[in-house]
Amino acid sequence: MKFTFDRNLMIKEISIAQEIISTKNAVSILSNVLLNAHNNTLVIKATDIKVNYETQIPVQIEEEGSTTIYCDKFMGILNSLPEGEIEFNQTTEGENNSVLVNIKPVAKKIKFQMKSMSEDKFPEFESAENVPYFEISSKDIKEMIAQTSFAVSEDETRFFMNGVYFEKKDDNLNLVATDGRRLSFASKSILAGINDFNAAIVHPKILNIILKHAPEEGNISLAIVDKMIFFKFGNYKFGSVLLEGKFPDYTRVIPAAQSHKFIVTKSDLVDALRRVALMVDRKAGRLYLSVSDGVLKITSQQSELGSADEEIPCEYAGDSYTLALNYRYIDEPLKELDSEKVGFEFTEEMKAVTMRPEPEKDYFHIIMPMQKE
């Protein structure tokens, strides 16, 4: 097996493989990337069993073949080499007939040698070829992932909440995530003419990879089949095992109506939170939002180190209320709200608070208040 490739092009693809691979154990086949050179094309594959990755790049092949090599060390070698054409040459050497890979720049006297492992031990992928893909806007799905994936539960005993819930309702794609104390919901009417598919719970690892690498414009292909979800765009193919279990009935958490609402300018709220958060106990995360006519006061919980508070103008008229909320549960969705103003809706101080862009769009975040202390 012998071919030459462009260093920068290879680095781009191997860096994604590194994101997929979860183990750094050099003797594990799951720490390796599979390289298959055929017809002047190099197919690259990586997996952690749950998430699969496949891409291809053009190469100049002298001898076709396939092998696997330790991804982390391969990436380190690539980063150390100068730009330009790199030669990859697999040979059998020594008395033990060791299979080695020589990696060297075409124009420099530099050579690295790595051991390789047979591709026979590399796990087989679920086929992504003959599944019913449908196309959706890359910008839309990336926006929805960003608006929900941060809210998944990290409690592994509640594994059915460790992912983002995908469902088709009429022509709408709904994405929902919850950890039991907050819930993020995003919905877009982007499935007109698409056949129904079963609702699925998708692990955030694959979603974060899509969020990072899918294009900003154009469409991507998506398919949900049996226990797998597939994404396809450009030269990339990704697949992931779906999480098992029954996702909670999220509709029961969404308030039918809320009697109070105040609206603030997003930039005012962001700046005030940034300052007040300096005195927030990071473990408890508690801060207070006190609303009265025309004013929102944000206060950190009193601690041994002190406290902070700041007042900002708000659109509100009515009785005064104080809500105790987790700082992160405001800050994280706030980063994803694409609006100049933010609305907060509530009924009582200890009942669910709905946070949404103002004017209302196709996204909202529900927060359960904390006990006041």
Side-chain angles (χ1 to χ4, degrees):
M1 180 182 183
K2 185 176 181 181
F3 60 89
T4 57
F5 61 88
D6 178 76
R7 168 195 177 266
N8 290 348
L9 189 56
M10 182 71 82
I11 284 177
K12 179 184 175 185
E13 313 304 348
I14 297 301
S15 66
I16 300 176
Q18 278 193 310
E19 296 175 38
I20 303 292
I21 292 170
S22 58
T23 174
K24 300 298 183 183
N25 182 353
V27 299
S28 170
I29 193 68
L30 295 180
S31 297
N32 286 21
V33 286
L34 172 65
L35 306 177
N36 188 330
H38 185 70
N39 287 339
N40 284 333
T41 298
L42 182 72
V43 175
I44 302 167
K45 293 185 178 182
T47 185
D48 69 352
I49 296 299
K50 294 181 179 179
V51 177
N52 304 328
Y53 163 63
E54 179 180 336
T55 188
Q56 60 185 41
I57 60 173
V59 294
Q60 293 296 319
I61 298 176
E62 291 188 35
E63 183 179 344
E64 295 183 344
S66 61
T67 191
T68 78
I69 56 173
Y70 183 32
C71 181
D72 198 51
K73 194 64 67 178
F74 185 39
M75 187 65 177
I77 291 171
L78 293 173
N79 281 327
S80 76
L81 293 175
E83 294 187 8
E85 292 294 305
I86 309 296
E87 181 183 285
F88 184 106
N89 185 16
Q90 184 182 40
T91 61
T92 302
E93 300 179 15
E95 295 179 359
N96 297 326
N97 290 327
S98 298
V99 180
L100 302 174
V101 171
N102 297 309
I103 302 168
K104 60 181 181 179
V106 171
K108 298 282 185 179
K109 292 185 177 180
I110 307 169
K111 185 175 81 170
F112 287 92
Q113 197 169 67
M114 292 181 65
K115 291 184 178 180
S116 63
M117 295 175 64
S118 169
E119 70 276 13
D120 295 343
K121 299 179 181 179
F122 197 82
E124 287 286 337
F125 281 13
E126 288 283 343
S127 175
E129 293 304 318
N130 299 313
V131 294
Y133 283 101
F134 56 88
E135 289 199 348
I136 55 175
S137 161
S138 182
K139 181 181 179 182
D140 284 343
I141 190 64
K142 289 179 69 171
E143 183 177 272
M144 295 175 74
I145 291 170
Q147 290 171 338
T148 54
S149 59
F150 62 83
V152 302
S153 174
E154 297 177 354
D155 182 355
E156 294 186 1
T157 65
R158 309 173 81 182
F159 57 90
F160 50 87
M161 287 163 46
N162 292 162
V164 177
Y165 186 64
F166 278 55
E167 70 169 354
K168 182 179 184 293
K169 278 206 169 180
D170 300 322
D171 291 343
N172 282 33
L173 175 64
N174 296 341
L175 266 61
V176 189
T178 182
D179 63 6
R181 297 176 296 277
R182 58 173 169 175
L183 181 145
S184 281
F185 175 92
S187 179
K188 290 187 184 293
S189 180
I190 55 177
L191 298 182
I194 304 302
N195 292 333
D196 289 348
F197 53 83
N198 291 332
I201 308 173
V202 184
H203 197 284
K205 179 174 181 177
I206 183 68
L207 297 179
N208 290 334
I209 289 168
I210 300 305
L211 186 61
K212 182 175 179 180
H213 297 289
E216 295 300 323
E217 302 296 335
N219 291 339
I220 67 173
S221 299
L222 187 156
I224 296 176
V225 183
D226 298 327
K227 298 181 179 181
M228 295 287 297
I229 186 168
F230 298 97
F231 295 90
K232 186 167 64 172
F233 51 89
N235 290 327
Y236 299 117
K237 297 177 185 177
F238 296 93
S240 178
V241 177
L242 298 173
L243 298 179
E244 297 183 358
K246 182 175 176 58
F247 197 78
D249 182 3
Y250 69 87
T251 60
R252 297 175 60 185
V253 180
I254 301 173
Q258 292 174 291
S259 51
H260 305 293
K261 180 176 183 178
F262 63 89
I263 299 171
V264 295
T265 300
K266 178 183 174 181
S267 58
D268 288 347
L269 181 59
V270 168
D271 290 343
L273 280 176
R274 176 173 51 82
R275 286 185 281 265
V276 174
L278 293 173
M279 301 303 290
V280 168
D281 182 317
R282 294 294 172 173
K283 186 175 181 180
R286 185 182 285 101
L287 57 72
Y288 301 100
L289 302 185
S290 300
V291 63
S292 56
D293 287 347
V295 176
L296 176 67
K297 184 177 181 180
I298 305 169
T299 308
S300 69
Q301 182 181 0
Q302 187 75 33
S303 72
E304 294 178 358
L305 296 176
S307 64
D309 65 73
E310 183 169 341
E311 292 184 359
I312 60 175
C314 76
E315 300 173 31
Y316 177 78
D319 295 337
S320 298
Y321 292 92
T322 296
L323 308 170
L325 302 175
N326 188 306
Y327 158 72
R328 282 181 47 233
Y329 292 1
I330 304 172
D331 182 60
E332 290 177 341
L334 191 59
K335 294 174 182 176
E336 307 304 332
L337 289 177
D338 184 19
S339 60
E340 293 185 1
K341 293 188 176 183
V342 182
F344 290 82
E345 302 170 13
F346 64 98
T347 299
E348 298 176 15
E349 291 180 341
M350 288 308 298
K351 288 192 175 180
V353 177
T354 303
M355 179 180 173
R356 64 170 83 239
E358 188 65 34
E360 295 182 10
K361 296 183 180 179
D362 46 18
Y363 170 64
F364 59 79
H365 188 73
I366 295 174
I367 309 169
M368 295 306 299
M370 306 173 75
Q371 293 287 342
K372 298 177 184 177
E373 290 189 1

